[in-house]
Amino acid sequence: MGRGITIALIASLALNVFAVGFIMGRIITPNDAPPTPMMAAPQHRMDNPRGFMRRAKDLPPESRTAFRHAIRANIPQLRAQREEIHNLQRAYHNALRAEEWDRAAAEAALSELQDARDRGRALFDEAFLDAIESLDGDARAQLLHRTEEDASHRRMRKLRKRE
């Protein structure tokens, strides 16, 4: 076989694999499926622990180590809560997709999901407070100062984009 034919066959195979994958994705996940709600808080808010955790890398080594150990102590509970939320999201979406509509079942599934999200946020906030408690006053001030600086830079970028 010539080199050109071999390249054409490989390109054809790659295109066919892509097309089959795309079509199967459309079949498996229909367009009318509701988007999965996100648990993440807005990144620019001062009450967002995730933003603080990213900025912990700027702390002095001993403070950073204490902060990370306090967070890691809560990881098993946080993962279990995340798994519960994921399962409840699936149950809620199944209630919405049921062939026979049952509003009471959908409302019950939504209520359970909202309660689990609230518990997850409370658990995450508690883990964050444990981590902040491990820092001395200077390290807490440094973390807050860095967060405020980043927020002002982010606001300036947004204003420049609008112009």
Side-chain angles (χ1 to χ4, degrees):
M1 228 185 293
R3 185 177 182 152
I5 292 176
T6 304
I7 291 173
L9 287 174
I10 291 173
S12 174
L13 177 66
L15 195 59
N16 286 332
V17 168
F18 173 76
V20 169
F22 181 77
I23 292 169
M24 291 306 293
R26 291 292 184 167
I27 291 171
I28 292 172
T29 309
N31 287 338
D32 60 342
T36 304
M38 299 298 290
M39 189 174 122
Q43 297 299 315
H44 63 281
R45 304 264 318 255
M46 287 294 288
D47 67 343
N48 179 21
R50 289 180 179 95
F52 283 105
M53 287 173 35
R54 277 197 311 272
R55 290 168 188 89
K57 71 180 185 317
D58 298 331
L59 294 173
E62 56 279 347
S63 296
R64 182 175 55 239
T65 301
F67 186 86
R68 288 182 176 164
H69 282 299
I71 290 290
R72 286 183 182 133
N74 292 295
I75 286 179
Q77 296 92 347
L78 293 169
R79 285 184 179 155
Q81 186 64 32
R82 184 181 65 194
E83 182 65 27
E84 179 187 1
I85 289 171
H86 181 72
N87 291 336
L88 290 172
Q89 283 175 332
R90 195 175 311 128
Y92 174 59
H93 291 157
N94 289 340
L96 293 177
R97 291 183 189 124
E99 286 193 27
E100 187 173 325
W101 175 246
D102 183 0
R103 184 179 180 103
E107 287 176 344
L110 178 60
S111 177
E112 288 178 35
L113 177 59
Q114 289 170 335
D115 290 344
R117 285 183 184 152
D118 291 342
R119 286 190 308 273
R121 181 59 193 231
L123 186 62
F124 195 89
D125 289 342
E126 190 65 31
F128 174 71
L129 289 175
D130 291 346
I132 287 290
E133 187 176 35
S134 71
L135 300 175
D136 61 12
D138 290 338
R140 277 195 310 274
Q142 181 182 357
L143 192 61
L144 289 171
H145 179 71
R146 174 62 194 263
T147 302
E148 290 167 357
E149 281 181 347
D150 287 353
S152 67
H153 291 307
R154 194 174 299 110
R155 280 191 296 272
M156 292 302 291
R157 271 197 316 262
K158 283 184 180 180
L159 287 174
R160 278 182 266 164
K161 282 183 181 179
R162 289 181 187 163
E163 294 175 350

